[in-house]
Amino acid sequence: DAEITQSPRHKITETGRQVTLACHQTWNHNNMFWYRQDLGHGLRLIHYSYGVQDTNKGEVSDGYSVSRSNTEDLPLTLESAASSQTSVYFCASSETQGLAGISYNEQFFGPGTRLTVL
Amino acid sequence: SQQGEEDPQALSIQEGENATMNCSYKTSINNLQWYRQNSGRGLVHLILIRSNEREKHSGRLRVTLDTSKKSSSLLITASRAADTASYFCAIANFGNEKLTFGTGTRLTIIP
């Protein structure tokens, strides 16, 4: 069965370190998204990609970067981790509306990565 | 800023009762979606309603959409303990694939 996985599931790091969170999907979806979830804020979009070599900034992109070298993966990098980036991070994917009969943009989510920055 | 705002923030009901949660938004939409999140898990898509639809059903779920009031409601009938979760509405605007999520309603079903 197709799925979307994230690794690691839990990560503790120190302020100033570079951290990369992995996201891998086997749905063959064009679109991939990274969100962070914090109490009182719901899910906020960090970065997203509509295809290979395409990346876009979301609502809270400062301090984060992504790259899309293939369809399956969208790693999220924290260039220099800060305590304010302690959060739960979710990756999601969806297919593009209008392709192959797809008429809506339902997103499929990974299980999340809990990141603690000390 | 977030478009979807859920109400109430938290809801506790007895098993077997119906649960209703609401979502308000600010601009025109392509569609509105509802997701469930169990504790410690990712979000799972429940149901989608398009801007030209007024009501949709899926099992024990009923979603309504009032575009004139820019609001939607999710009704879960005959609630079960397994329905305990957080529920989020997500707004899809025309012209892009992004979703904007609200802050969620935390539903607790008391056995």
Side-chain angles (χ1 to χ4, degrees), chain A residues 10-81:
Chain A
H10 301 271
K11 174 77 175 179
I12 300 175
T13 191
E14 296 177 344
T15 301
R17 289 189 180 268
Q18 184 180 80
V19 177
T20 296
L21 308 183
C23 174
H24 180 80
Q25 53 102 0
T26 58
W27 292 98
N28 200 35
H29 285 161
N30 285 331
N31 311 318
M32 296 184 72
F33 308 86
W34 273 104
Y35 299 90
R36 59 179 289 174
Q37 184 175 34
D38 305 285
L39 281 175
H41 291 278
L43 272 78
R44 292 183 290 176
L45 184 62
I46 305 171
H47 281 286
Y48 60 101
S49 168
Y50 288 160
V52 176
Q53 303 300 332
D54 176 75
T55 61
N56 306 279
K57 294 181 178 180
E59 180 186 359
V60 289
S61 61
D62 287 349
Y64 304 93
S65 64
V66 294
S67 61
R68 186 92 179 269
S69 59
N70 58 52
T71 300
E72 297 80 15
D73 299 290
L74 187 70
L76 176 71
T77 297
L78 286 68
E79 305 293 345
S80 177

Side-chain angles (χ1 to χ4, degrees), chain A residues 9 31 33 35 37 40-45 48 50 59 90 94-97 103-111, chain B residues 1-2 30-31 33 35 37 40-45 48 50 88 92-93 95-104:
Chain A
R9 294 295 313 279
N31 311 318
F33 308 86
Y35 299 90
Q37 184 175 34
H41 291 278
L43 272 78
R44 292 183 290 176
L45 184 62
Y48 60 101
Y50 288 160
E59 180 186 359
F90 289 99
S94 71
E95 188 47 273
T96 301
Q97 296 177 90
S103 59
Y104 57 86
N105 50 355
E106 168 190 352
Q107 290 187 10
F108 295 79
F109 280 79
Chain B
S1 62
Q2 291 177 337
N30 179 2
N31 65 71
Q33 304 177 29
Y35 288 77
Q37 183 182 33
R41 310 289 290 272
L43 278 71
V44 174
H45 180 266
L48 176 151
R50 294 184 176 83
F88 295 86
N93 297 116
N96 66 72
E97 306 293 332
K98 294 185 294 181
L99 296 178
T100 303
F101 287 84
T103 52

Side-chain angles (χ1 to χ4, degrees), chain B residues 49-60:
Chain B
I49 187 165
R50 294 184 176 83
S51 59
N52 61 353
E53 297 176 317
R54 292 297 167 259
E55 186 170 316
K56 205 160 184 182
H57 297 255
S58 177
R60 294 184 296 112

